[in-house]
Amino acid sequence: MTPPPDVWQRGRPWLADASAAVAVLAVGTWEVHHDVSVVSVWGEALVVVGLALAVGLTRGAPGAALAVAWCVGGVHVLTGAGPIVAEVLLAYVAFGCARWGTRTVVWLSGLSIPLGATIAVLWLDPNVFYDSLRVAGVEVLARRAYDGTDGWRLPAAFLGTALLMAPWLLGLALRFSARSEASRRSQVVAEAERDQAAEIARLRDEQTRLAHDVHDVVGHSLAVILAQAESAQFRDESDTVALKQTMADIATSARGSLEDVRQVLAATSGTAAPAARQADLESLIEGVRASGHAVESTLVGAPQPMPPELEVVAFRVLQEMLTNAIKHGRRDRPVRVERHWEGDLRIEVRNDVPETAPDLPGDVGGQGLVGMRRRLESVGGRLDVRRRTDPATFTATAWVPVRVGR
């Protein structure tokens, strides 16, 4: 049965080092068996086993591999076993400690290299050193290295340190390189997550804006249509002309609502759509009048040109104000609309409410007034809503800047 891919990936480092350990054990055993200068067979056999174990633990447990390497050195000292050629693989242990070990293991392995080389050179019998070089086939070097004095020990210590320090430094360099690459990848992932979060936030804002736009358009149109339909109930059945006119007004309101919804959806999809203009404020008022609801409109000051985005805000805000007035106001009292052009555009809609009406319309906690307030705040405007008891009225006042960024 084939193991799962993740198990295979986790086991690959151990499998590679286990294979290397078996190879070291085989080569070291052959070397001990054919070495005529063996001082202690059992000592060198333990050295071979310890060396194989250290190599096998290097990648998965560098700290344990370092400890086993020191045990190999202790076996040398206690048994008097001489060095074997296979011990050059201690360089791999040094490399692994620097590459995969913890910070403590890295420092301990770095200090162990010169310390271990010095101890080995001080402990090593020069005759054993000479014989080891000769058996390794470097007889000429052996003659030059040993001249019968201790002058060879210091160069040998430096040489041993250098031979082990080179792979240790290589492992350290690869360690920092891998850490740098991991940091770069983490940064890339973080940037991708940040961009994704920004895109999600943008989509949510777009959905919120779409919900407010649809609420304003559909809510206003349905309120007007409802008022027109209710007014038709009180018309004389014989007055077919008036009834037809009411039905025509309802159809006009429905078509206007459908067109407004199309404009909202077109703007959301990126398709160019005509924006609401300042003149449409009058059409909103006339639409409410056509529904049979009386409206008193007052204009103070001369209208000023506004950027399209501000015109849309003014249009949607007045639309929602009139919707609330129709839904929550008294049908037998007119809705009063005032537009003041004194610096910024101030729009005020006031309507009478029943004495038993709640303090504020129900839309205060819903999409209506919340949407108006967000629209105005997004362009630097503000909204004020309040209920008065004498007489019982509800007033909504919006300040819309004439210029963007004010």
Side-chain angles (χ1 to χ4, degrees), residues 45-349:
L46 289 175
V47 169
V48 171
V49 173
L51 181 62
L53 182 60
V55 170
L57 294 173
T58 296
R59 188 187 298 259
L66 179 62
V68 173
W70 273 103
C71 289
V72 169
V75 170
H76 276 293
V77 175
L78 294 176
T79 64
I84 60 176
V85 177
E87 286 184 283
V88 297
L89 289 177
L90 288 174
Y92 176 68
V93 177
F95 168 84
C97 289
R99 175 65 181 86
W100 299 296
T102 63
R103 180 178 299 182
T104 302
V105 172
V106 171
W107 283 106
L108 289 177
S109 60
L111 294 174
S112 296
I113 291 172
L115 180 61
T118 302
I119 294 175
V121 169
L122 292 176
W123 160 81
L124 186 61
D125 186 337
N127 293 314
V128 175
F129 176 68
Y130 176 86
D131 291 339
S132 298
L133 292 177
R134 181 176 56 79
V135 171
V138 200
E139 188 172 356
V140 176
L141 179 60
R143 294 196 187 99
R144 293 181 179 178
Y146 179 51
D147 57 1
T149 66
D150 286 338
W152 61 277
R153 294 186 184 275
L154 184 60
F158 276 111
L159 178 61
T161 301
L163 290 176
L164 293 177
M165 190 61 73
W168 185 84
L169 292 175
L170 176 61
L172 197 63
L174 293 179
R175 178 192 188 92
F176 287 129
S177 177
R179 183 175 298 178
S180 176
E181 179 64 18
S183 177
R184 186 191 66 81
R185 290 180 180 177
S186 298
Q187 183 178 1
V188 170
V189 171
E191 291 176 355
E193 291 177 349
R194 184 180 66 246
D195 294 341
Q196 183 181 20
E199 179 65 15
I200 292 175
R202 186 191 67 80
L203 292 175
R204 287 178 177 173
D205 290 342
E206 185 67 20
Q207 290 174 348
T208 302
R209 187 191 66 80
L210 177 61
H212 289 158
D213 287 346
V214 172
H215 172 275
D216 293 345
V217 171
V218 177
H220 177 75
S221 299
L222 290 179
V224 171
I225 291 173
L226 179 62
Q228 291 170 333
E230 289 177 344
S231 66
Q233 299 176 9
F234 301 98
R235 294 190 182 277
D236 189 353
E237 294 182 358
S238 61
D239 190 356
T240 57
V241 175
L243 290 174
K244 288 182 178 179
Q245 182 60 45
T246 300
M247 298 303 295
D249 292 339
I250 291 175
T252 300
S253 299
R255 281 193 294 269
S257 175
L258 182 60
E259 182 61 28
D260 286 343
V261 171
R262 286 173 177 171
Q263 290 184 9
V264 169
L265 297 179
T268 302
S269 63
T271 307
R277 296 296 176 183
Q278 179 61 32
D280 290 334
L281 298 181
E282 287 294 336
S283 68
L284 283 174
I285 297 173
E286 291 301 325
V288 175
R289 285 174 177 159
S291 70
H293 207 115
V295 179
E296 295 179 358
S297 178
T298 303
L299 181 64
V300 179
Q304 303 178 32
M306 301 172 67
E309 58 269 31
L310 295 181
E311 290 183 344
V312 172
V313 170
F315 180 86
R316 297 299 183 202
V317 167
L318 178 57
Q319 188 178 55
E320 181 61 25
M321 286 179 170
L322 291 174
T323 301
N324 286 338
I326 296 173
K327 290 171 59 179
H328 306 290
R330 296 180 54 173
R331 299 300 305 274
D332 59 339
R333 302 289 178 85
V335 176
R336 289 171 288 277
V337 180
E338 296 182 4
R339 285 169 290 162
H340 294 260
W341 291 92
E342 299 171 351
D344 292 339
L345 170 60
R346 179 167 64 88
I347 303 175
E348 182 177 289
V349 175

Side-chain angles (χ1 to χ4, degrees), residues 4-27:
D6 55 340
V7 175
W8 171 254
Q9 291 294 333
R10 289 196 299 267
R12 284 182 62 185
W14 286 98
L15 181 61
D17 284 353
S19 301
V22 171
V24 170
L25 186 62
V27 173

Side-chain angles (χ1 to χ4, degrees), residues 371-385:
M372 281 196 294
R373 182 168 284 109
R374 287 180 177 176
R375 285 183 188 277
L376 291 167
E377 290 177 352
S378 68
V379 296
R382 57 190 177 94
L383 176 70
D384 177 74
V385 291

